[in-house]
Amino acid sequence: NIDDFFEALENFGVGAQNWVGADVNGEIAYFPHAHIPIRSEAALTQEHPPYLPYPGTGAYEWLLDEQGRPLYLAPDQIPQARNPSRGWLATANNDINGATLDNDPLNEGRYLSYSQAVGFREGRISELLPNLDKEDGDPDHMKQIQGDHLSLLAERVRPYLLGALANEEVMGGLT
């Protein structure tokens, strides 16, 4: 069941992954679990962003418990979803908490990740899945969705490329 899914992931510590689970009761869940070390507050500044190497001063080390073991972010502080009201989940290596949408991954509380997909793949999935009726969710229909090759990025850029091409033709190839 989904509780077992979450419990099993507690033992996974290295290499954060987008875990998606479903059970025989129809429950679904998403959990990008990994052991995320907690660093000192000094490590959470613009001066030394956590996605660059830290100076070796000791001020940026992982915090430790009484036995000298690293402290990790509690699982309930990692974005996750269980049985969302829309009835489905989509992940495509996109920003799991929206921290990079304003191009500043450090202003949204706990820093989780620096490099994600910018959301065009997940956006396309989110366009296609709500249009499915329950009876359309058969394997062949899902294969069609997985094979969809429409690029939302290309859709966004195309008018500008066509405009530049039209301008090139008007100018007679002059640059």
Side-chain angles (χ1 to χ4, degrees):
N1 64 38
I2 289 300
D3 291 327
D4 293 337
F5 165 75
F6 279 105
E7 186 177 325
L9 291 177
E10 290 177 15
N11 295 316
F12 185 82
V14 180
Q17 302 291 317
N18 286 318
W19 298 96
V20 179
D23 70 14
V24 297
N25 301 315
E27 290 196 75
I28 57 175
Y30 163 67
F31 194 23
H33 188 272
H35 289 164
I36 301 170
I38 300 173
R39 292 187 185 265
S40 67
E41 289 302 314
L44 304 175
T45 65
Q46 295 282 355
E47 181 180 350
H48 295 290
Y51 47 83
L52 296 177
Y54 285 126
T57 63
Y60 303 94
E61 302 303 319
W62 296 357
L63 298 180
L64 305 175
D65 67 12
E66 299 80 30
Q67 287 80 36
R69 295 177 301 213
L71 292 172
Y72 297 109
L73 200 59
D76 64 355
Q77 293 181 307
I78 301 171
Q80 54 193 279
R82 183 176 180 152
N83 299 319
S85 59
R86 65 185 181 183
W88 52 272
L89 295 161
T91 90
N93 298 330
N94 55 305
D95 183 352
I96 60 174
N97 65 345
T100 62
L101 296 178
D102 63 357
N103 292 320
D104 184 356
L106 303 178
N107 67 352
E108 302 290 329
R110 182 65 62 187
Y111 172 82
L112 294 176
S113 176
Y114 171 68
S115 177
Q116 306 92 0
V118 293
F120 291 109
R121 289 174 48 217
E122 195 275 338
R124 181 62 178 153
I125 294 166
S126 294
E127 283 182 353
L128 295 172
L129 285 179
N131 297 323
L132 280 178
D133 292 327
K134 291 223 183 255
E135 55 272 2
D136 288 336
D138 63 50
D140 288 332
H141 202 102
M142 296 308 291
K143 284 181 194 176
Q144 287 178 344
I145 289 176
Q146 289 181 346
D148 180 79
H149 61 272
L150 178 71
S151 167
L152 295 182
L153 176 59
E155 293 294 307
R156 183 179 288 180
V157 174
R158 181 178 33 193
Y160 301 102
L161 295 175
L162 292 175
L165 179 62
N167 190 40
E168 168 85 11
E169 291 170 357
V170 169
M171 300 298 289
L174 299 175
T175 56

